[in-house]
RNA sequence: GGGGGAGUGGUGGAAUGGCAGACACAGCAGACUCAAAAUCUGCCGGGUGCACAACCCGUGAGGGUUCAAGUCCCUCCUCCCCCA
């Protein structure tokens, strides 16, 4: 057949239309074949896909197509993380309802996804701002409220004055808002919380059950975030009033070395000890920490003028207030043991507070406090500690905690760094929290039958003042469900991380009107076999998703304890060495690239430029290399395609070379899919194959060529679905969808090299290469190697100490020099 | 300060104790062409050699283990990420 020009635009648009006309094309069948749930993190509908999306979805799509070809029943859904502040900010700016903006963005991005050839089952599309979806957020909230997992309390919250909203701690970066970079201030408000801490232990221990399928660094980050520390609590006593000051410490064995008690600035006792003018520096301290974030502040403190009594030694030590003590961690008060904690050491030496060593190294003496340059933080032997002197730290910790408990002034205790999840947002574009405030009855849940609590439409978006929901009279005013008296609705909406904590379950049963999903259908698909997304979600989204799964399990809704068996985190797409961003003006628009090179080339380039887990550089020049490759394959197959298959088996030398490379390549790509997803090397292998095929082309038999073109087309299908489909249908004259064909099996006989190429080294340096039949005996190999003319001069006249022979692999002759 | 990555040609990267630099980009030379584009072919880490051959050096620095180290171990430097 004559060679055809690779007209990417025409053939891609043709198949794009054809695929769109078949809504069942990528349908998950639920037909009893082994299942594979392939999931990419759903996007926020910001308006347009960016290259990060293209990379993420190209990885997932390539995998999904491969799994289809391997005969799996693949579930490959997508949806929209559609609530959130940008829609509302856009509404303020353009006087356009957030819903309008959001749905327009979704329509646009959906078309972009289709144009990229992503194999999504659109019948399962989920959009979190649909009442059909957020109704179930509310339902989960009520269930959690019933069992005490959702509660309301006054909280010091991070307030962004520009966004006029509360931010989660993790949304504060270096004291600034993660979105708009405004300086964050502290406010106290009643807020709704999910009790994540109730699951802290399990969230931690289960990181070990999913270890083999999740990246180590994600699990490490989560473990650090959970921050379990086992220690003890002990009550110091305010000397003047006898009031107890409870401290948490991981090193109760050092308590005889405590030389002061330090309170967090927000500790309730502080406000009582430091009244009037004395409180001013404390206020200053609180604001300062809020401004700079707990990271970069210099340690500073204020003496309260009061003392406290050590419950073990009876000693009176000063009470200080320190800016580095966090109210939210432990008890908000610490005992400072400068001799054995580096942070305490820095604080105490700064303020002239004594340093008193009470732990010595097992094989050394107690340090001289005057000579100490830094704290001794290791375990050792306890000294100068009353009845505990002479014990090891390990023994003393246990015994002292027990004695504290017996004496009623403390106990062994575990604390976690992770805090309960504050979900309240003073915003419009989110899920309304289904609660009603009644003067008589207090806080009353909305009855389940009244769900969903819908967002009202008659709202002005000014960007000023309190939540827009508070302005809607229709929304705000309701009769109390308990007593019928006039009451008003909660106007806070939920953090959007609630939406994304369970969306992957809804994909199993997306239009269920009676329940969030049917448990049986979820059981069929869960856990997710492969979850793919950015490492930026390593902590929050993934920990909240794991929390939700455990809550759902305890509600009897799902059987699994973890949402995803395997997680893959892809690297970022860079341009000019840094992440693409509008502010840097280095954004590459996928649409432009698709027009220029086609979707196949774009997808393949995101896979070729670097291994998927690493950051990749978008290079306009390099992508041309991939375009050339796709185009070469296309022309090669089109000019060599034959509609009449020829009988084979009697291969000429060119056939053998071509088929050998073909089957070697197939084996390599299959390996890459099964093991490590280094698609950059898969694509490189196909490029090598093309180089070999071009060299053998003119001498190959029709039968060999028929095999080569067909297998090549199948191998290409997961990576470049448009070109592969076009060649499969039009040029090879086959029927059906190429991604539904069985993945070809590499023929080991055809793939085998004719002989083993064995490098010969002398003292580890390459001197010659032999080609010998496979399985040549060790002795024979050694003999041939020694006889090799290129080797002889290096061995001649020298004493051979040793010869290492690895059959079919290598010979190393070691001589005395 | 703690934890985790990474460091290989002009560039992106390959090599899971066994031939360093696959594949590609850029560059150089050639074929085709009136010419250009496209396409195809060859060369392409550094050094010594007229050239060929041959040899030497070379994976951030230094040490170690091993017949053999980009790969494993120790010390150090630089960069990135996460947590303080």
């Amino acid at each position: 057949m004559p060679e055809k020009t690779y007209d990417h635009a025409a053939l891609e648009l043709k198949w794009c239309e054809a695929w769109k006309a078949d809504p069942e094309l990528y349908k998950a069948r639920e037909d009893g074949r082994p299942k594979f749930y392939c999931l990419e993190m759903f996007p926020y509908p910001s308006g347009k896909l960016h290259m990060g999306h293209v990379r993420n979805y190209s990885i997932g799509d390539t995998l999904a197509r491969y799994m289809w070809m391997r005969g799996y029943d693949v579930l490959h859904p997508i949806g929209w993380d559609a609530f959130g502040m940008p829609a509302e900010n856009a509404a303020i700016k353009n006087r356009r309802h957030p819903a309008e903006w959001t749905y327009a963005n979704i329509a646009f991005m959906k078309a972009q996804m289709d144009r990229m050839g992503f194999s999504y089952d659109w019948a399962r599309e989920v959009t979190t701002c649909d009442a059909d979806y957020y109704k179930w957020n509310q339902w989960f909230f009520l269930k959690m409220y019933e069992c005490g997992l959702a509660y309301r309390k006054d909280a010091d919250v991070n307030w962004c004055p520009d966004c006029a909203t509360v931010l989660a701690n993790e949304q504060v970066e270096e004291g600034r808002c993660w979105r708009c970079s405004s300086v964050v201030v502290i406010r106290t408000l009643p807020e709704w919380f999910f009790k994540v801490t109730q699951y802290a232990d399990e969230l931690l221990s289960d990181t070990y059950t999913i270890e083999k399928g999740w990246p180590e660094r994600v699990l490490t980050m989560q473990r650090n975030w959970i921050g379990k520390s086992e220690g003890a609590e002990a009550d110091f006593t305010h000397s003047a009033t006898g009031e107890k000051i409870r401290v948490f410490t991981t090193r109760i064995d050092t308590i005889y070395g405590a030389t002061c008690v330090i309170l967090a600035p927000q500790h309730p006792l502080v406000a009582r000890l430091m009244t009037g003018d004395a409180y001013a520096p404390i206020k200053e301290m609180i604001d300062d920490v809020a401004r700079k974030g707990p990271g970069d502040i210099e340690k500073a403190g204020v003496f309260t003028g009061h003392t406290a009594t050590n419950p073990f030694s009876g000693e009176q030590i000063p009470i200080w207030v320190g800016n580095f003590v966090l109210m939210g961690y432990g008890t908000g008060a610490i005992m400072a043991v400068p001799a054995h904690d580096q942070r305490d050491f820095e604080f105490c030496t700064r303020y002239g507070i004594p340093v008193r060593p009470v732990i010595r190294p097992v094989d050394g003496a107690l340090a001289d406090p005057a000579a100490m340059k830094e704290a001794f933080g290791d375990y050792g032997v306890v000294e100068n500690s009353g009845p505990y002197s002479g014990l090891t730290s390990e023994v003393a910790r246990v015994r002292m905690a027990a004695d504290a408990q017996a004496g009623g002034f403390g106990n062994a205790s575990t604390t976690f760094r992770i805090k309960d999840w504050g979900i309240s947002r003073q915003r419009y574009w989110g899920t309304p929290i289904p609660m009603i405030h009644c003067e008589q009855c207090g806080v009353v849940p909305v009855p389940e039958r009244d769900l969903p609590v819908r967002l009202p439409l008659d709202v002005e978006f000014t960007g000023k003042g309190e939540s827009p929901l508070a302005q809607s009279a229709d929304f705000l005013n309701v009769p109390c469900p308990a007593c019928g008296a006039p009451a008003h609705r909660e106007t806070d909406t939920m953090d959007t991380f609630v939406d994304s904590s369970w969306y992957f379950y809804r994909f199993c049963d997306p239009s269920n009107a009676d329940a969030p999903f049917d448990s049986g259908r979820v059981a069929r698909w869960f856990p997710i076999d492969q979850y793919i997304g950015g490492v930026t979600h390593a902590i929050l989204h993934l920990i909240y998703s794991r929390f939700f799964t455990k809550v759902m399990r305890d509600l009897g809704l799902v059987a699994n304890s973890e949402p995803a068996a395997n997680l893959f985190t892809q690297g970022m797409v860079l341009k000019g060495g840094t992440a693409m961003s509008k502010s840097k003006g280095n954004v590459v628009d996928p649409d432009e690239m698709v027009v220029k090179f086609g979707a196949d080339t774009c997808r393949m380039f995101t896979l070729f430029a670097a291994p998927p887990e690493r950051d990749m550089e978008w290079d306009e020049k390099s992508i041309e290399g991939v375009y050339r490759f796709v185009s070469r394959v296309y022309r090669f197959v089109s000019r060599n395609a034959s509609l009449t298959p020829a009988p084979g088996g009697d291969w000429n030398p060119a056939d053998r070379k071509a088929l050998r490379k073909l089957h070697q390549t197939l084996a390599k790509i299959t390996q890459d899919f099964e093991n490590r997803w280094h698609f950059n090397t898969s694509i490189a292998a196909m490029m090598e194959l093309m180089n070999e095929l071009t060299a053998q082309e003119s001498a190959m038999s029709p039968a060999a060529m028929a095999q080569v073109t067909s297998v090549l087309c199948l191998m290409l299908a997961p990576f470049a679905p448009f070109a592969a489909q076009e060649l499969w249908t039009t040029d090879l004259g086959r029927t059906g969808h190429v991604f539904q064909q069985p993945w070809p099996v590499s023929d080991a006989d055809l793939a085998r090299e004719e002989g083993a190429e064995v490098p010969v080294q002398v003292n580890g340096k390459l001197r010659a290469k032999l080609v010998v039949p496979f399985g040549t005996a060790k002795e024979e190999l050694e003999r041939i190697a020694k006889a090799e003319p290129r080797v002889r001069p290096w061995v001649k006249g020298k004493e051979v100490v040793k010869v290492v022979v690895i059959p079919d692999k290598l010979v190393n002759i070691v001589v005395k020099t």
Side-chain angles (χ1 to χ4, degrees), chain A residues 743-805:
Chain A
W743 182 252
V745 177
S746 173
D747 183 325
D749 289 331
L750 286 173
R752 188 168 299 119
E753 291 287 349
E754 280 171 351
E757 196 185 54
V758 178
V760 181
Q761 299 177 338
V762 178
N763 285 355
K765 290 198 171 182
L766 180 71
R767 296 303 176 192
K769 288 178 190 180
L770 309 173
V771 176
V772 298
F774 280 105
T776 301
K778 279 181 136 184
E779 301 72 26
E780 178 70 358
L781 254 183
E782 181 176 338
R783 195 189 58 71
I784 300 169
K786 282 180 171 163
E788 174 70 24
R790 302 249 292 97
V791 173
R792 274 211 309 257
W794 298 98
V795 179
K796 198 176 170 193
K798 305 223 169 89
E799 184 193 340
V800 175
V801 180
K802 183 173 181 177
V803 181
V804 180
V805 183

Side-chain angles (χ1 to χ4, degrees), chain A residues 684-765:
Chain A
M686 281 193 275
M687 289 172 168
E688 279 187 67
L689 170 63
M690 275 313 298
N691 292 341
E692 181 70 28
L693 293 179
T694 318
Q696 306 307 331
E697 183 176 6
S698 58
M700 283 169 66
S701 70
M705 192 56 90
Q707 185 179 143
V708 163
T709 48
S710 146
V711 172
L712 179 59
C713 199
L714 294 168
M715 279 195 301
L716 190 68
F719 300 95
F722 292 102
Q725 185 66 58
E726 171 67 10
L727 291 169
W728 185 254
T729 307
T730 309
D731 299 273
L732 300 178
R734 309 296 185 87
T735 53
H737 299 287
V738 71
F739 79 94
Q740 289 171 343
Q741 307 307 312
W743 182 252
V745 177
S746 173
D747 183 325
D749 289 331
L750 286 173
R752 188 168 299 119
E753 291 287 349
E754 280 171 351
E757 196 185 54
V758 178
V760 181
Q761 299 177 338
V762 178
N763 285 355
K765 290 198 171 182

Side-chain angles (χ1 to χ4, degrees), chain A residues 481-667:
Chain A
C483 70
H488 66 271
R489 287 192 192 279
E490 171 66 60
T491 58
D492 283 356
T493 52
M494 296 183 202
D495 181 6
T496 57
F497 277 118
V498 175
D499 312 341
S500 55
S501 289
W502 69 281
Y503 74 104
F504 31 79
Y505 289 100
R506 186 71 177 171
F507 282 138
C508 298
D509 194 9
S511 42
N512 196 323
D514 307 318
F517 48 78
D518 173 74
S519 295
R521 295 188 76 185
V522 161
R524 170 174 166 76
W525 289 109
F526 268 74
I528 296 161
D529 294 282
Q530 189 64 60
Y531 196 21
I532 306 167
V535 75
T536 40
H537 296 106
I539 298 178
L540 298 174
H541 163 57
L542 291 169
I543 230 165
Y544 294 148
S545 296
R546 296 181 56 224
F547 163 71
F548 248 78
T549 290
K550 290 174 197 307
V551 171
M552 287 157 76
R553 177 201 59 198
D554 291 346
L555 290 171
L557 297 169
V558 302
N560 49 298
S561 289
E562 286 289 334
N566 297 290
L567 173 73
F568 188 90
T569 50
Q570 95 269 4
M572 289 185 301
V573 183
L574 312 177
K575 171 85 183 178
T578 45
M580 290 184 187
S581 72
K582 277 185 198 147
S583 58
K584 291 199 189 89
N586 62 348
V587 175
V588 177
D589 181 5
D591 282 349
E592 285 173 29
M593 292 299 123
V594 168
V595 168
K596 211 161 166 185
F597 302 108
D600 281 339
T601 296
C602 280
R603 295 166 54 127
M604 257 185 138
F605 180 65
T606 64
L607 301 177
F608 177 68
E613 72 278 8
R614 291 246 290 264
D615 289 350
M616 64 160 281
E617 176 72 21
W618 189 272
D619 177 22
E620 191 83 30
K621 278 292 181 191
S622 293
I623 192 175
E624 287 175 21
V626 175
Y627 181 80
R628 275 198 279 273
F629 166 71
V630 180
S631 157
R632 273 180 86 190
V633 175
Y634 184 82
R635 293 194 316 267
F636 178 88
V637 175
S638 73
R639 71 176 172 263
N640 289 299
S642 164
L643 296 177
T644 45
D650 193 14
W651 308 118
N652 69 42
D655 291 343
R656 277 199 294 273
K657 281 185 192 156
L659 291 171
R660 184 181 306 135
K661 193 72 180 172
L662 179 76
H663 286 275
Q664 286 173 348
T665 306
L666 179 54

